[in-house]
Amino acid sequence: MYYLNKTKEELINELQESQQELISIMALSGNDISKYDITFLNKSLQKRITETHCSADGEYYSLLELNNNERDLFADSLHNSYNEFFRNPLTFAVLERIILPSLLLKKKTSKNKEIRIWSAACAAGQEAYSTAMLVEELRNGNDKKLNYRIFATDQCDLQVNEARKGIYSAAALNNLNLKRVKQWFTKHGDTYTIKPELQEHIDFSVFDLFSEHLSAPPASIFGDFDLVICANLLFYYKPEFQKVIIEKVGKCLANNGYLVVGETERDILMKHNYIEVFQQSGIFQKLARG
Ligand SMILES: C[S@@+](CC[C@H](N)C(=O)[O-])C[C@H]1O[C@@H](n2cnc3c(N)ncnc32)[C@H](O)[C@@H]1O
């Protein structure tokens, strides 16, 4: 009933004021949550309110203010690191059949024979390893002289450590066919470890896409990536911060380079002067400015 008497603008203003309070409380423990999207923050907030059995925002804010541990739990609830091998099948099919073969062909006739890839929010590494499998498989039937390097980064050091280890449960391998499991993993008891010959092409490091000092992963030295995968993180942020990330990865793209986003993030790129190279694939190129 309360909501029925309010205009949409009034409700948004209330939400923004309430979130300002939440942002200030979280800053007490050094957590900057001001970049997060308003709807995402509200959903996470409502979830914690239910889990802590608080009756309303106000009661939960008092708990947060007094309780360090709850502030840590709320901050954790904002970190989603869900990842799968070959997560979006259409994206990876287009990479396998169209984008990577054409890049390999292009590099074959170019002076610079290295394909450069950046997995910009790699979580526990599945995205980078999936891409490496594709390049390796295509290279085998093609030209071994072509080199490739994948720079895989994430803001979370725990995720980057997991990615470096490359150890996965059987359940994590669900999207992989048996041939790939045999070719790219070694089984140890109940777990599967990525083989070193795949790992050696990937450089894992911690990198925050909001870093004001660094424009690309330092290990890559100069960026110039043929392919950047920046998937399933844009939607957590407010539009002005999505823009910061898109501009940062866009500046690191080589001429005619490709930018990959998650399937629910395609609209965001379309608003930023990018064109999807294959419908629904989430694979984009920058529109040349007229
Ligand atoms: C849901 S996972 C997506 C993993 C993978 N890219 C995929 O599409 O499945 C989101 C990842 O983005 C990372 N992330 C969020 N904000 C980031 C930032 N500002 N800089 C770097 N990584 C970030 C998180 O740590 C998390 O591992």
Side-chain angles (χ1 to χ4, degrees):
M1 273 317 255
Y2 169 77
Y3 291 110
L4 290 178
N5 298 328
K6 306 251 166 189
T7 65
K8 192 175 162 199
E9 281 70 34
E10 282 172 331
L11 283 173
I12 290 175
N13 280 344
E14 271 186 19
L15 203 54
Q16 275 169 342
E17 271 168 32
S18 151
Q19 289 200 353
Q20 213 39 60
E21 194 179 344
L22 182 61
I23 290 167
S24 311
I25 297 172
M26 289 304 285
L28 294 174
S29 17
N31 285 300
D32 175 9
I33 62 163
S34 62
K35 296 184 176 70
Y36 286 111
D37 170 68
I38 186 165
T39 318
F40 170 63
L41 265 188
N42 196 40
K43 269 193 199 154
S44 311
L45 175 68
Q46 296 313 321
K47 199 162 167 242
R48 279 312 292 157
I49 288 178
T50 310
E51 285 167 359
T52 52
H53 309 288
C54 287
S55 56
D57 293 12
E59 191 185 334
Y60 182 67
Y61 287 173
S62 307
L63 173 68
L64 261 188
E65 212 164 358
L66 295 171
N67 191 323
N68 265 331
N69 189 39
E70 183 52 35
R71 289 202 290 275
D72 289 346
L73 288 173
F74 184 68
D76 284 350
S77 78
L78 302 174
H79 296 150
N80 178 345
S81 53
Y82 182 78
N83 199 201
E84 283 175 29
F85 286 98
F86 298 96
R87 178 165 179 177
N88 181 346
L90 179 61
T91 305
F92 281 97
V94 176
L95 286 177
E96 180 175 17
R97 297 203 190 136
I98 301 172
I99 307 295
L100 291 171
S102 83
L103 273 177
L104 283 162
L105 203 63
K106 188 175 129 195
K107 293 285 171 177
K108 222 172 163 175
T109 54
S110 107
K111 251 198 335 222
N112 169 12
K113 300 222 178 296
E114 183 178 82
I115 296 183
R116 293 169 65 80
I117 298 172
W118 180 15
S119 166
C122 68
Q126 292 93 321
E127 179 180 277
Y129 288 125
S130 305
T131 312
M133 286 177 207
L134 295 185
V135 183
E136 278 288 340
E137 289 164 12
L138 287 163
R139 218 164 59 115
N140 273 336
N142 214 300
D143 191 343
K144 269 277 182 193
K145 276 190 228 132
L146 288 174
N147 195 16
Y148 73 98
R149 284 183 79 192
I150 300 180
F151 300 88
T153 61
D154 199 282
Q155 69 173 0
C156 172
D157 53 349
L158 295 175
Q159 290 296 317
V160 172
N161 284 339
E162 285 307 301
R164 269 195 201 113
K165 285 188 213 148
I167 302 175
Y168 301 96
S169 67
L173 272 50
N174 268 347
N175 295 349
L176 296 166
N177 60 36
L178 203 57
K179 186 168 174 255
R180 280 192 176 137
V181 174
K182 282 194 174 149
Q183 188 172 3
W184 300 120
F185 294 84
T186 312
K187 190 171 188 300
H188 298 285
D190 291 339
T191 60
Y192 293 78
T193 306
I194 292 277
K195 290 196 176 159
E197 57 262 41
L198 198 64
Q199 224 157 15
E200 72 189 19
H201 292 272
I202 310 178
D203 185 295
F204 288 104
S205 61
V206 175
F207 182 82
D208 182 351
L209 285 159
F210 292 120
S211 160
E212 286 173 10
H213 314 292
L214 299 169
S215 53
S220 80
I221 305 174
F222 52 87
D224 201 32
F225 298 110
D226 301 293
L227 174 69
V228 175
I229 311 177
C230 186
N232 297 305
L233 81 148
L234 289 174
F235 49 60
Y236 295 119
Y237 295 111
K238 290 183 179 134
E240 60 268 39
F241 295 103
Q242 295 173 350
K243 184 168 179 260
V244 171
I245 294 180
I246 292 169
E247 283 180 359
K248 174 163 274 189
V249 296
K251 280 185 191 148
C252 293
L253 281 176
N255 262 348
N256 300 317
Y258 298 95
L259 176 56
V260 178
V261 293
E263 54 189 322
T264 55
E265 298 167 322
R266 297 171 40 251
D267 286 352
I268 304 173
L269 271 218
M270 290 178 198
K271 288 185 203 140
H272 284 271
N273 220 27
Y274 277 82
I275 185 156
E276 203 167 27
V277 294
F278 189 94
Q279 261 189 26
Q280 308 286 329
S281 66
I283 305 174
F284 288 81
Q285 273 182 318
K286 231 189 233 176
L287 271 174
R289 285 190 186 275

